[in-house]
């Protein structure tokens, strides 16, 4: 089982290149850890509550949600953290030394707003949602062309 | 004015990784404010990229270890470590990184433990101070601390960088035209190229290179004002009052404890006083007397008082 920290809002920057390349957008995975990871209180609403804080005051509300995927090793989900190093036409972007150039922070994104209302309500109220690969497959998309992520299969 | 300090800990913190902190705090920093990450002891394995922020000289990012969590000048597995397989990149101006340990174990060529990406991508006015940076990769063309970009001025200070020793690898580099960066009081050990600059713009002072294939690459490219550097190689260290063909005596070079010993005659008391800019060394100890070359300022071990002999009463 792995747990994914997902960014839940759209950060923006006045510089359009920085906005595209550097800003986190809604649904982008931030980090992934194995099951049982101890999240920070600003990452996990349940951690915040467990430390005796009022749920209504969670500073991560609207900023983060956690997606829990039983049976999926964190190594399999690691690819969800890849930067998009190709343009939107799919052409790889490379520095003269051959190292990749980041076009976007992430190549993949959870289409949060396309998930069923019940899922969104659970994420909103508890800050996390436990699901399966088959249930999430349709909502994990490549940003440039909406292709499905199959790396969890 | 407000300093926002968030803790990064394996448990009980605001965030459980520096990467999570960067995402959660990414913002336009208001004038007079700072965004700070205070890192506690654990191995943080997620790649760090700082991008998409708005910073200024009086609105900066600071990533640091508090005193109790800071390394002691030698790699310490009970302190905070950023241990990644991908390059850690800073694309923002005015980012300060203080007292961290960073290692890279890349599976590809051209990867950088700490990469300040300048020019059109900014990354100007940054400081990396008191950090230990090491390489674990067998890939070619790895770099410890890299400042890339024209017309930027970043500062590398009191840093210890070692084992970037594969083909094309570099300890600390600054390249591109008008890159007026500073390298002060650093130690580079066992690297293919110790320090490298491609243009006549970087000033390097009090820096030490030992057991490198080429300690100071492109010697003639270091800017006027460079001085008091030292190398184990002949005809290597640039600038005035620099020392070549030196033998340095470290506490335990094999295990990368590169503190100077009391018997060192290569770097001790051969530095220039830079106290107008900073006053401490990699351990956070205040430099005193005639400065030493390199990241460490030799300080005699704290002694007890005079030895009192037992009195025998007859």
């Amino acid at each position: 089982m792995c747990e994914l920290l997902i960014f839940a809002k759209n950060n923006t920057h006045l510089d359009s290149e920085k906005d595209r390349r550097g800003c986190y957008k809604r649904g982008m995975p931030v980090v992934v850890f194995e099951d049982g990871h101890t999240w920070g209180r600003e990452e996990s609403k349940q951690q915040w509550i467990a430390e005796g804080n009022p749920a209504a005051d969670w500073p991560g509300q609207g900023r983060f949600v956690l997606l829990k995927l039983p049976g999926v090793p964190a190594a399999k989900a690691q690819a969800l953290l890849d930067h998009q190093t190709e343009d939107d036409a799919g052409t790889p972007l490379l520095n003269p030394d051959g190292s990749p150039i980041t076009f976007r922070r992430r190549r993949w994104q959870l289409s949060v707003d396309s998930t069923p209302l019940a899922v969104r309500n659970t994420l909103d109220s508890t800050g996390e949602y436990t699901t399966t690969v088959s249930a999430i497959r349709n909502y994990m998309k490549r940003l440039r062309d909406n292709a499905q992520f199959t790396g969890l299969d | 004015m407000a300093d926002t300090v968030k803790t990064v800990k394996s448990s009980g913190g605001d965030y459980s990784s520096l990467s999570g902190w960067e995402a959660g705090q990414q913002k336009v920093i208001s004038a007079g404010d700072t965004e700070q990450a205070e890192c506690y002891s654990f191995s943080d394995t997620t790649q760090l990229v700082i991008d998409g922020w708005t910073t200024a000289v009086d609105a900066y990012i600071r990533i640091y270890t508090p005193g109790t969590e800071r390394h002691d000048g030698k790699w310490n597995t009970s302190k905070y470590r950023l241990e990644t397989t991908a390059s850690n990149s800073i694309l923002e101006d005015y980012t300060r990184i203080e007292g961290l340990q960073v290692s890279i174990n890349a599976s590809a060529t051209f990867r950088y433990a700490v990469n300040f990406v300048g020019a059109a991508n900014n990354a100007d006015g940054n400081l990396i101070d008191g950090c230990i940076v090491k390489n674990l990769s067998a890939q070619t063309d790895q770099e410890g601390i890299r400042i890339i970009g024209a017309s930027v001025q970043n500062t590398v200070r009191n840093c210890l960088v070692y084992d970037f020793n594969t083909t094309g690898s570099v300890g600390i580099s600054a390249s591109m035209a008008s890159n007026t960066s500073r390298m002060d009081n650093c130690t580079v050990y066992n690297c293919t190229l110790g320090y490298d600059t491609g243009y006549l713009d970087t000033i390097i002072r009090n820096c030490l290179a030992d057991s490198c294939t080429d300690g100071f690459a492109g010697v003639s490219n270091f800017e006027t004002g460079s001085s008091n550097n030292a190398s184990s190689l002949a005809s290597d260290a640039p600038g005035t009052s620099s020392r070549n063909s030196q033998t340095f005596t470290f506490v335990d070079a094999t295990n990368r404890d590169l503190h100077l010993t009391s018997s060192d005659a290569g770097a001790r008391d051969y530095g220039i006083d830079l106290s107008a800019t900073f006053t401490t060394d990699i351990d956070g100890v205040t430099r005193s007397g005639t400065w030493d070359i390199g990241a460490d300022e030799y300080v005699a071990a704290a002694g007890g008082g005079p030895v009192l002999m037992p009195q025998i009463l007859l």
Side-chain angles (χ1 to χ4, degrees), chain B:
Chain B
M1 289 179 59
D3 295 328
T4 302
V5 180
K6 300 292 182 182
T7 56
V8 178
K9 295 183 173 184
S10 58
S11 67
D14 296 310
Y15 292 92
S16 60
S17 70
L18 205 45
S19 184
W21 168 83
E22 199 271 339
Q25 301 304 123
Q26 184 185 65
K27 65 180 61 163
V28 175
I29 305 177
S30 301
D33 292 352
T34 65
E35 285 290 332
Q36 305 191 25
E38 187 174 82
C39 302
Y40 287 71
S41 173
F42 74 105
S43 174
D44 190 347
T45 58
T46 306
Q47 176 193 25
L48 174 67
V49 175
I50 299 177
D51 196 6
W53 298 59
T54 299
T55 59
V57 67
D58 62 344
Y60 59 86
I61 296 166
R62 181 179 181 227
I63 300 169
Y64 69 101
T65 50
T68 56
E69 307 298 320
R70 184 182 169 121
H71 62 75
D72 44 12
K74 178 192 173 192
W75 191 269
N76 188 332
T77 54
S78 65
K79 304 296 182 184
Y80 178 82
R81 292 99 63 207
L82 182 61
E83 301 179 295
T84 64
T85 56
S87 301
N88 300 295
S89 294
I90 293 88
L91 293 94
E92 290 303 335
D93 298 341
Y94 309 111
T95 300
R96 304 181 186 183
I97 300 174
E98 303 167 22
L100 266 57
Q101 301 178 104
V102 184
S103 73
I104 188 161
N105 190 4
S107 57
T109 58
F110 296 102
R111 295 296 185 269
Y112 317 109
V114 182
N115 187 29
F116 293 100
V117 186
N121 296 327
N122 299 326
D124 189 21
N126 296 304
L127 169 68
I128 179 167
D129 188 355
C131 294
I132 301 176
V133 181
K134 69 175 181 177
N135 178 47
L136 301 171
S137 172
Q139 295 286 329
T140 64
D141 301 294
Q142 307 295 299
E143 293 191 31
I145 301 170
R146 177 184 188 243
I147 303 167
I148 180 80
S151 303
V152 298
Q153 181 177 327
N154 295 320
T155 300
V156 185
R157 174 190 301 161
N158 288 329
C159 288
L160 168 61
V161 181
Y162 56 82
D163 294 343
F164 289 83
N165 57 359
T166 58
T167 302
S169 291
V170 185
I172 304 173
S173 74
S175 60
M176 296 187 73
S178 303
N179 186 326
T180 56
S181 292
R182 300 286 182 272
M183 301 175 189
D184 290 335
N185 275 100
C186 294
T187 295
V188 170
Y189 186 85
N190 189 36
C191 292
T192 304
L193 304 182
Y195 306 85
D196 188 22
T197 183
Y199 293 84
L200 186 63
D201 296 308
T202 298
I203 294 177
I204 185 165
R205 299 173 296 187
N206 288 352
C207 285
L208 186 160
D210 191 20
S211 302
C212 298
T213 307
D214 185 348
F216 296 83
V219 172
S220 60
N221 284 332
F222 286 100
E223 176 67 295
T224 300
S226 297
S227 72
N228 298 77
N229 301 294
S231 174
S232 56
L233 302 172
S235 304
D236 190 33
T240 58
S241 304
S242 290
R243 298 164 56 76
N244 292 298
S245 303
Q246 295 300 306
T247 299
F248 306 104
T249 308
F250 301 115
V251 170
D252 183 2
T254 303
N255 293 305
R256 302 298 184 259
D257 184 345
L258 299 168
H259 288 98
L260 298 172
T261 70
S262 59
S263 61
D264 176 75
R268 274 192 63 199
D269 295 338
Y270 287 107
I272 185 174
D273 187 329
L274 301 176
S275 59
T277 311
F278 64 101
T279 57
T280 56
D281 75 349
I282 189 170
D283 302 322
V285 169
T286 301
R287 293 180 182 271
S288 58
T290 304
W291 283 34
D292 299 341
I293 294 173
D296 175 48
E297 179 77 14
Y298 173 77
V299 178
V307 176
L308 299 176
M309 300 302 290
Q311 192 175 34
I312 300 173
L313 298 175
L314 298 175

Side-chain angles (χ1 to χ4, degrees), chain A residues 7 11 13 17-18 21-24 30-31 33 37-43 63-64 83 97 99-100 105, chain B residues 6 10-17 22-24 26 46-47 49 51-54 92 110-112 121-122:
Chain A
F7 205 68
N11 277 355
H13 199 285
E17 185 186 343
K18 269 191 163 185
R21 185 195 65 217
C23 286
Y24 275 97
V30 177
V31 290
F33 289 105
H37 177 72
T38 304
W39 293 98
R41 64 180 72 89
E42 298 216 7
E43 298 166 321
R63 190 196 307 164
F64 290 122
H83 294 198
D97 64 15
S99 59
R105 270 279 180 164
Chain B
K6 300 292 182 182
S10 58
S11 67
D14 296 310
Y15 292 92
S16 60
S17 70
E22 199 271 339
Q26 184 185 65
T46 306
Q47 176 193 25
V49 175
D51 196 6
W53 298 59
T54 299
E92 290 303 335
F110 296 102
R111 295 296 185 269
Y112 317 109
N121 296 327
N122 299 326

Side-chain angles (χ1 to χ4, degrees), chain A residues 64-79:
Chain A
F64 290 122
V65 293
L66 286 174
L67 194 66
K68 299 188 173 184
L69 292 166
V72 179
K76 261 193 156 181
Q78 202 67 37

Side-chain angles (χ1 to χ4, degrees), chain A residues 136-151:
Chain A
I136 203 68
R137 184 183 293 117
N138 291 339
Y139 305 105
M140 200 60 83
K141 299 288 182 67
R142 188 159 59 192
L143 275 123
R144 67 180 169 85
D145 61 3
N146 264 346
Q148 273 184 23
F149 183 72
T150 58

Side-chain angles (χ1 to χ4, degrees), chain A residues 11-144:
Chain A
N11 277 355
T12 58
H13 199 285
L14 289 174
D15 179 330
S16 59
E17 185 186 343
K18 269 191 163 185
D19 182 72
R20 186 203 68 234
R21 185 195 65 217
C23 286
Y24 275 97
K25 301 297 179 183
R26 181 169 167 80
M28 285 184 173
V30 177
V31 290
V32 59
F33 289 105
E34 298 287 359
D35 177 32
H37 177 72
T38 304
W39 293 98
R41 64 180 72 89
E42 298 216 7
E43 298 166 321
S44 164
K45 192 171 191 175
Q46 297 309 308
Q47 182 64 35
W48 171 264
I49 294 168
E51 291 180 10
N53 302 301
D57 294 345
W58 184 45
Q61 189 72 39
R63 190 196 307 164
F64 290 122
V65 293
L66 286 174
L67 194 66
K68 299 188 173 184
L69 292 166
V72 179
K76 261 193 156 181
Q78 202 67 37
L80 289 168
L81 306 186
D82 287 349
H83 294 198
Q84 181 179 329
T85 54
E86 65 279 353
D87 63 19
D88 283 341
T91 305
L93 302 171
L94 298 171
N95 287 305
D97 64 15
S99 59
I101 296 171
T102 295
F103 190 76
R104 285 198 178 88
R105 270 279 180 164
R106 294 289 184 264
R107 180 176 284 136
W108 305 95
Q109 183 178 40
L110 175 69
S111 300
V112 181
D113 298 320
S114 301
T115 59
L117 181 60
V119 174
R120 280 178 278 149
N121 285 343
T122 302
L123 288 172
D124 192 51
S125 60
T126 69
E128 59 187 56
Y129 187 75
T130 301
T131 186
T132 63
V133 171
S134 59
I136 203 68
R137 184 183 293 117
N138 291 339
Y139 305 105
M140 200 60 83
K141 299 288 182 67
R142 188 159 59 192
L143 275 123
R144 67 180 169 85

